[in-house]
Amino acid sequence: MIRLLCLLIGYAFGCIQSAYIVGRAMKNIDVREYGSGNAGTSNVIRVVGRRAGLIVFVSDVLKAVAAFVLCAILFYGGGSFFEDGLPMEPGLYAGLGVLLGHNFPFFLKFKGGKGIASFLGVMLALDWRAALIVYAIGFVVLKLTRYMSLTSLTMSLLFPIFILVFFNHQLETVIITFIMAAMAFYLHRGNIQRLINGTERKLELRKK
């Protein structure tokens, strides 16, 4: 029952669609109708601008952290911001709910983003040590390739591996984070095909 409640709370947080809100507020557009059609940071950068993209990125990270921490407090759970030995399940299932709400928001006909920024927030709230390592690797991958999709997939895959191999998290925690990673790969299937074909668009952060 606690898992289900946390999942629902997380879903409510995830449905706060930062990209959609920022697009409407700054350009009066639905960003899902432009660019890649994705309600996420990369598309907002391309369609609306870098400042808007930063707002969306930070908002999507923070909503995941907020949901994780809230459920950990309500149901005596653990995580990066709590003492050791407490169960991870409350925050973990809240994080899963955030990704589901972000990716499949009911009020936008279940068409949202791909959940990477929110997944980064879950990583930070779950285990900051593994998260910082994954962030650093992601930064290097992005710097070398400028493929946001490849960077996102790399970080998504590495986090559950790291918490299993190096940080000894329980099996349920590892399984749920692998499910989060699998969701990211599923939603990036088009990007994966374009990476294979050599037609994936690179992220341009500098002004031309």
Side-chain angles (χ1 to χ4, degrees):
M1 182 60 71
I2 289 176
R3 288 172 173 80
L4 179 59
L5 285 173
C6 292
L7 196 68
L8 293 174
I9 291 171
Y11 186 86
F13 273 84
C15 282
I16 302 171
Q17 290 291 308
S18 306
Y20 180 82
I21 294 169
V22 168
R24 286 295 188 194
M26 298 184 73
K27 277 201 171 183
N28 196 28
I29 62 171
D30 182 346
V31 295
R32 300 172 305 157
E33 297 176 357
Y34 297 84
S36 67
N38 178 54
T41 300
S42 298
N43 198 39
V44 170
I45 290 174
R46 294 183 180 118
V47 174
V48 185
R50 291 176 295 175
R51 185 170 63 124
L54 179 61
I55 293 171
V56 169
F57 176 78
V58 172
S59 299
D60 287 345
V61 170
L62 290 181
K63 72 183 180 185
V65 173
F68 189 108
V69 170
L70 176 62
C71 286
I73 292 172
L74 291 175
F75 302 106
Y76 307 102
S80 296
F81 310 113
F82 302 90
E83 62 183 85
D84 294 337
L86 295 174
M88 293 291 184
E89 287 81 2
L92 181 66
Y93 280 86
L96 178 59
V98 169
L99 294 189
L100 290 171
H102 179 86
N103 298 338
F104 312 108
F106 73 93
F107 70 98
L108 292 178
K109 299 181 180 179
F110 302 98
K111 184 183 178 183
K114 296 178 181 177
I116 299 301
S118 293
F119 194 6
L120 296 180
V122 174
M123 295 178 193
L124 181 63
L126 181 62
D127 192 318
W128 65 268
R129 303 163 301 174
L132 292 182
I133 296 171
V134 168
Y135 294 172
I137 295 172
F139 176 80
V140 172
V141 173
L142 183 60
K143 192 74 173 175
L144 292 176
T145 69
R146 288 195 291 119
Y147 287 124
M148 192 65 234
S149 56
L150 180 61
T151 303
S152 300
L153 294 171
T154 300
M155 292 189 293
S156 298
L157 181 60
L158 287 181
F159 184 75
I161 293 174
F162 280 8
I163 65 170
L164 171 64
V165 176
F166 300 110
F167 297 103
N168 301 315
H169 280 269
Q170 294 184 352
L171 182 60
E172 184 176 5
T173 301
V174 175
I175 290 173
I176 296 300
T177 54
F178 265 118
I179 290 173
M180 295 177 184
M183 195 186 312
F185 271 77
Y186 173 76
L187 292 171
H188 280 83
R189 59 194 184 279
N191 303 85
I192 294 171
Q193 188 60 55
R194 288 191 293 273
L195 284 168
I196 294 171
N197 295 338
T199 57
E200 177 73 332
R201 185 177 178 182
K202 293 185 177 183
L203 182 65
E204 183 59 63
L205 291 176
R206 297 178 181 177
K207 289 184 178 180
K208 297 182 179 179

